[in-house]
Amino acid sequence: AQKVTQAQTEISVVEKEDVTLDCVYETRDTTYYLFWYKQPPSGELVFLIRRNSFDEQNEISGRYSWNFQKSTSSFNFTITASQVVDSAVYFCALNTGNQFYFGTGTSLTVIP
Amino acid sequence: NAGVTQTPKFRVLKTGQSMTLLCAQDMNHEYMYWYRQDPGMGLRLIHYSVGEGTTAKGEVPDGYNVSRLKKQNFLLGLESAAPSQTSVYFCASSYSVQRASSTDTQYFGPGTRLTVL
């Protein structure tokens, strides 16, 4: 069975602090894809990153970075020097076969 | 290039009424999906389609039907609405994973907020 767990329901940080959002996935498939999406208060879903199962290289994009570790089935997301505009719900998702499986999301509040 | 559009944006139904949600995409994607989003539950897949004329059940298909008569459209129907179907519904589309590049993903519509009284 496929499953994505985001154990952190809500996180609050003060602006400029670093924050890491955890994502743990379960799958028996050897080929799969992992994603992070952002859902700001306006409600739309914004794609942040896609990672293939055969590529464990970490990625950095500006203040965002992602750490993919197959040994622990984790795909964690770090925001460096957080800003108020980062306040949103963040979803981790797993794609295997034809379906996507989403975690329950982590609500991040950045306090000015 | 409108991406993924959903009609309507808001709707209020009474228990037992029926309705159809329309999703349209102009990116020539093979795959289309319908999700529902409930507080604390994340997004759950209702039905999906891997091509014109094909549909398949997702995680929570009961009470819903879908059709994909044209590649660009994916319809979600509620035959007899129930209060438990009050939710925000998102449509998405994508290339098949095999065709997708490393930056491809599902593209989501803006959502439809449905309330069943």
Side-chain angles (χ1 to χ4, degrees):
Chain A
Q2 333 292 343
K3 185 178 180 181
V4 176
T5 301
Q6 295 180 256
Q8 303 153 307
T9 305
E10 296 181 359
I11 300 176
S12 291
V13 298
V14 176
E15 200 171 20
K16 298 184 182 178
E17 286 184 344
D18 299 347
V19 58
T20 296
L21 309 183
D22 297 333
C23 173
V24 174
Y25 64 92
E26 296 176 29
T27 181
R28 292 184 178 179
D29 292 345
T30 55
T31 300
Y32 53 90
Y33 303 83
L34 297 165
F35 299 79
W36 275 95
Y37 293 89
K38 174 183 180 180
Q39 187 175 43
S42 52
E44 74 271 23
L45 284 150
V46 178
F47 165 69
L48 297 177
I49 191 171
R50 160 185 161 144
R51 180 55 88 213
N52 305 329
S53 57
F54 45 86
D55 181 5
E56 283 192 77
Q57 190 173 15
N58 293 328
E59 181 151 341
I60 298 174
S61 177
R63 296 184 297 107
Y64 295 171
S65 62
W66 290 270
N67 180 259
F68 176 28
Q69 291 194 332
K70 289 178 75 170
S71 61
T72 57
S73 297
S74 64
F75 186 42
N76 297 337
F77 173 31
T78 297
I79 302 174
T80 303
S82 59
Q83 300 176 0
V84 172
V85 293
D86 296 328
S87 296
V89 179
Y90 291 86
F91 291 99
C92 179
L94 166 69
N95 173 225
T96 68
N98 298 325
Q99 297 196 36
F100 281 74
Y101 304 86
F102 282 78
T104 51
T106 297
S107 177
L108 174 64
T109 301
V110 180
I111 304 166
Chain B
N1 191 341
V4 180
T5 58
Q6 293 182 230
T7 309
K9 289 186 170 53
F10 302 93
R11 185 72 185 267
V12 178
L13 291 178
K14 294 181 179 179
T15 297
Q17 287 185 319
S18 64
M19 76 163 294
T20 300
L21 282 67
L22 170 64
C23 176
Q25 54 95 4
D26 60 3
M27 296 173 280
N28 202 33
H29 285 160
E30 297 95 346
Y31 289 16
M32 296 188 75
Y33 312 79
W34 275 108
Y35 294 90
R36 59 177 289 172
Q37 183 179 20
D38 303 293
M41 303 288 288
L43 279 77
R44 292 182 292 168
L45 183 64
I46 304 170
H47 287 279
Y48 65 97
S49 167
V50 300
E52 183 178 323
T54 72
T55 63
K57 294 180 180 180
E59 181 185 357
V60 288
D62 294 342
Y64 305 94
N65 56 75
V66 289
S67 64
R68 182 111 180 259
L69 299 180
K70 295 182 179 180
K71 186 176 184 179
Q72 63 268 32
N73 295 337
F74 194 30
L75 279 64
L76 177 71
L78 287 72
E79 290 187 349
S80 180
S84 60
Q85 294 177 303
T86 294
S87 187
V88 179
Y89 292 86
F90 285 97
C91 175
S93 71
S94 70
Y95 289 116
S96 64
V97 172
Q98 293 76 14
R99 271 193 59 187
S101 72
S102 62
T103 57
D104 274 335
T105 182
Q106 288 186 318
Y107 294 84
F108 283 88
T112 295
R113 186 172 295 276
L114 174 66
T115 301
V116 182
L117 302 176

